[in-house]
Amino acid sequence: MDFQEFKNKKEEHLVGGGIEKQKQRKQKGKMNACERMYSLFDSKSFVELDPFVTHECFDFGMERKKILGDGVVTGYGLINSRLAYAFSHDFTVFGGSLSLPFAHKVCKIMDLALKQGVPIIGINDSGGARIQEGIASLAGYAEIFHRNVKASGVVPQISLIMGPCAGGAVYSPAITDFIIMTKSSFMFVTGPEVVKEVTKENVSFNDLGGAQIHNEKSGVAHFVAEDEQECFRILHTLLSFIPSNNLEIPPRIDTKDDPLRENDELNFFLPSSHTKPYDMESLIRKVIDNGDFLEVQKYWARNIIIGFARLDGNSIGIVANNPEVLAGVLDINSCDKATRFVRFCDCFNIPLVALVDVPGFLPGTDQEWGGIIRHGAKLLYAFSEATVPKLTVIIRKAYGGAYCVMNSKHIGADYNFAWPSAEIAVMGPEGACNIIFKTEIANSSKPNEKKVELVEQYRAKFSNPYIAASKGYIDDVIEPIETRKRLISALHSIYRKREEGPRRKHGNIPM
Ligand code: HXC
């Protein structure tokens, strides 16, 4: 048996694209593909597959440039003692670009993860399709995309972006559930040079597809990490809220936070004025276990807040309007953001909690021409089709169509509560009076004073939770300090909920 050959090959595999390239990466503070796997998985648990695979390309002198592993490290291991499969691009090998054998390595671990029902983690650092391979590389990508789609909603798929990612290397992450970008990474369909050639636009890597751009402007990414270690920390926290597959429930964690705990501050939390903003995130933290909230897409569409938390140790997904940004209205981006999150939670048996303070949909040509009708309908559809336990607390405003959309009783929420401060009405008092008392105000000798008087009358009559509660649309009006214990009690009473829809291939959510 020739152990020497075996050892030589193993060593050759470890240096990937060569010692010099590895050194250059170290100088940039980047880990190599294998080191990233060791950081991802629990100590000594990573097992590599397919280290001897090479490409099969004979063009452009490629037959003389075969590198063991062919630019991707694949395998499985434990993350916080739970099994997961992962791949890690090696940028030192042809810029981490994808050949057909490379794609087949990735497909193999995706298939294994699907059979086991465990998460697929992708560590992406790649220039996209390997140009020398041509169509074979595109075929490889398409095989990966097909698996991404098959795995969607069955096992969690999470993408870490740890370097420049272009072309096919961004489309696979785009199908996955969450994207975490390090601050020094990029994502674009085509890089700045191609952009310059085609559109004559001069744009830097960062401005085109940097982490901040995708976290703030495009909404492509869900988290930004200071460095690679933080990227893994975010991933580990995220996974702690999520089950391994769609047939399991999320792991329960003993948070030691008293389920009956009341928070006295909540009774005095809202500003005295109906129109003044307040800190919804701080409200969320006062209600959930130990104030631990993993906010998702923190920098994009900030008029809605989404994220994971726990109530009595059970994972929940929170969707909350944010009165501090655009008064918490629903617009195109916030609807898209919340829709995908609601659907993720529904796929993976994570109960939903909506905290509502919404004055309506954002008016204007920008929104109408951009299709707010279509985008708003998505969120309505998502809450409506979700079959996980669904709870709602109306904190202040719940007006018009936005009331219906934000997990109302009528679209299948299980428990709907309201604070005494809730204003549940077809629209805000000013808007309503302008329409129904138009003539009365116009004919008045003091139209401004008349309007104030009518608005006050309308507010007193309609801007409260009791009309909705009298019809059973609200299950109870609760004291703010008891929000936590009422939500926990409601969650316990509905946790085993099973809801079957009609048999069909799939619905047709407006896109
Ligand atoms: C083959 C590639 C490559 C690729 C990079 N390299 N991208 N080799 N195919 N797609 C090689 C380079 O030749 C170089 O090799 C090494 O990787 C490092 O690349 P650099 O350009 O020196 O690195 P950097 O300056 O950091 O820039 C990284 C980059 C840039 C931004 C990723 O390389 C780039 O723009 N690459 C092309 C990106 C692209 O257009 N991809 C789209 C492919 S089409 P040496 O030997 O010099 O070290 C596609 C379609 C899929 O993906 C469709 C799906 C729907």
Side-chain angles (χ1 to χ4, degrees):
M1 209 179 293
D2 188 353
F3 271 112
Q4 198 49 49
E5 185 190 4
F6 168 75
K7 280 184 183 162
N8 291 348
K9 278 187 181 290
K10 279 280 184 186
E11 269 167 33
E12 188 188 328
H13 166 61
L14 280 179
V15 297
I19 289 169
E20 199 43 47
K21 283 190 173 160
Q22 299 282 6
K23 259 194 205 157
Q24 285 167 8
R25 287 178 66 76
K26 275 269 141 26
Q27 281 159 4
K28 289 183 186 164
K30 292 188 171 197
M31 290 187 235
N32 69 36
C34 268
E35 286 167 342
R36 286 170 173 173
M37 289 297 224
Y38 296 132
S39 289
L40 169 67
F41 290 116
D42 297 351
S43 173
K44 296 183 182 159
S45 73
F46 172 55
V47 177
E48 188 176 355
L49 301 174
D50 287 336
F52 299 109
V53 165
T54 55
H55 69 72
E56 290 156 10
C57 179
F58 287 89
D59 296 312
F60 308 103
M62 287 293 279
E63 65 281 6
R64 295 189 301 278
K65 296 183 197 161
K66 294 210 174 208
I67 294 173
L68 292 179
D70 201 34
V72 65
V73 177
T74 57
Y76 62 89
L78 302 175
I79 299 176
N80 285 326
S81 308
R82 293 160 72 199
L83 184 67
Y85 282 79
F87 62 83
S88 174
H89 296 160
D90 185 348
F91 193 80
T92 67
V93 181
F94 310 116
S97 60
L98 181 134
S99 67
L100 187 59
F102 174 134
H104 286 160
K105 283 179 69 172
V106 174
C107 289
K108 186 189 276 185
I109 62 109
M110 292 178 85
D111 290 343
L112 285 163
L114 253 179
K115 281 185 209 167
Q116 294 280 338
V118 297
I120 300 168
I121 314 297
I123 302 176
N124 298 272
D125 191 349
S126 159
R130 191 170 297 164
I131 295 163
Q132 297 89 329
E133 277 222 3
I135 184 70
S137 170
L138 296 185
Y141 263 130
E143 288 183 32
I144 292 175
F145 302 154
H146 190 53
R147 280 166 176 78
N148 283 135
V149 174
K150 288 226 146 141
S152 183
V154 182
V155 295
Q157 301 181 81
I158 301 170
S159 302
L160 314 185
I161 310 292
M162 292 200 167
C165 288
V170 297
Y171 273 109
S172 170
I175 310 170
T176 63
D177 298 303
F178 295 102
I179 295 179
I180 312 172
M181 292 181 77
T182 62
K183 268 197 166 155
S184 59
S185 68
F186 312 104
M187 294 177 80
F188 34 69
V189 174
T190 49
E193 280 169 32
V194 179
V195 170
K196 194 174 172 188
E197 222 173 276
V198 178
T199 69
K200 312 285 175 251
E201 219 179 339
N202 256 321
V203 62
S204 69
F205 275 65
N206 242 330
D207 289 345
L208 184 64
Q212 211 53 35
I213 292 293
H214 286 309
N215 275 273
E216 235 180 84
K217 275 188 191 295
S218 72
V220 165
H222 300 81
F223 300 95
V224 54
E226 203 55 49
D227 53 32
E228 297 187 11
Q229 287 301 354
E230 199 197 0
C231 202
F232 290 119
R233 276 198 297 275
I234 295 171
L235 171 79
H236 292 167
T237 309
L238 178 59
L239 283 173
S240 75
F241 289 100
I242 303 174
S244 292
N245 61 59
N246 63 332
L247 300 179
E248 293 180 5
I249 56 169
R252 185 175 181 276
I253 289 180
D254 183 6
T255 59
K256 309 246 181 310
D257 195 352
D258 181 1
L260 299 176
R261 173 174 62 78
E262 295 188 337
N263 191 315
D264 294 341
E265 291 165 63
L266 288 178
N267 274 4
F268 310 98
F269 191 82
L270 295 187
S272 51
S273 157
H274 299 269
T275 50
K276 260 204 169 158
Y278 57 88
D279 185 350
M280 179 63 93
E281 188 196 324
S282 138
L283 190 158
I284 292 169
R285 288 189 193 274
K286 288 180 196 311
V287 170
I288 60 179
D289 290 3
N290 302 321
D292 285 338
F293 182 50
L294 179 67
E295 189 170 351
V296 176
Q297 290 181 311
K298 191 184 171 101
Y299 304 102
W300 182 59
R302 291 180 49 242
N303 41 332
I304 206 151
I305 297 173
I306 56 171
F308 296 102
R310 290 186 180 86
L311 280 175
D312 197 25
N314 296 305
S315 286
I316 53 163
I318 293 183
V319 179
N321 309 111
N322 180 7
E324 282 184 332
V325 178
L326 292 172
V329 285
L330 292 175
D331 63 355
I332 289 171
N333 287 346
S334 61
C335 287
D336 281 6
K337 171 174 162 179
T339 298
R340 188 115 203 278
F341 183 71
V342 165
R343 299 192 98 213
F344 175 83
C345 290
D346 191 41
C347 288
F348 292 106
N349 310 315
I350 300 172
L352 287 160
V353 176
L355 298 174
V356 179
D357 188 346
V358 64
F361 286 96
L362 184 62
T365 48
D366 257 12
Q367 292 291 308
E368 294 291 354
W369 295 352
I372 182 64
I373 298 172
R374 179 163 45 89
H375 294 276
K378 279 183 213 178
L379 185 55
L380 175 61
Y381 192 111
F383 267 127
S384 193
E385 77 171 343
T387 58
V388 286
K390 295 189 284 192
L391 316 179
T392 298
V393 184
I394 300 179
I395 306 295
R396 199 168 58 176
K397 299 180 182 102
Y399 291 159
Y403 155 75
C404 302
V405 169
M406 284 298 296
N407 204 26
S408 64
K409 177 70 81 195
H410 324 285
I411 60 170
D414 299 295
Y415 287 106
N416 296 67
F417 301 117
W419 284 12
S421 48
E423 301 169 22
I424 308 170
V426 72
M427 60 170 70
E430 283 80 8
C433 290
N434 280 341
I435 297 168
I436 55 177
F437 301 123
K438 190 176 172 183
T439 324
E440 211 170 328
I441 293 169
N443 292 341
S444 165
S445 56
K446 293 178 179 164
N448 288 345
E449 281 167 36
K450 186 74 193 166
K451 188 175 166 190
V452 171
E453 180 197 323
L454 290 168
V455 163
E456 269 325 301
Q457 274 176 22
Y458 182 97
R459 191 187 297 285
K461 183 145 198 220
F462 295 110
S463 296
N464 61 62
Y466 303 108
I467 299 172
S470 75
K471 296 177 188 300
Y473 303 161
I474 293 295
D475 297 296
D476 200 359
V477 181
I478 61 172
E479 203 180 338
I481 57 169
E482 55 174 358
T483 305
R484 170 177 167 78
K485 71 176 185 191
R486 292 299 298 267
L487 281 175
I488 289 174
S489 154
L491 195 57
H492 284 161
S493 83
I494 199 76
Y495 207 71
R496 289 165 188 280
K497 173 187 177 189
R498 286 283 176 272
E499 203 175 285
E500 293 288 325
R503 281 179 67 86
R504 61 179 167 185
K505 206 167 168 190
H506 57 73
N508 188 14
I509 188 167
M511 292 294 189

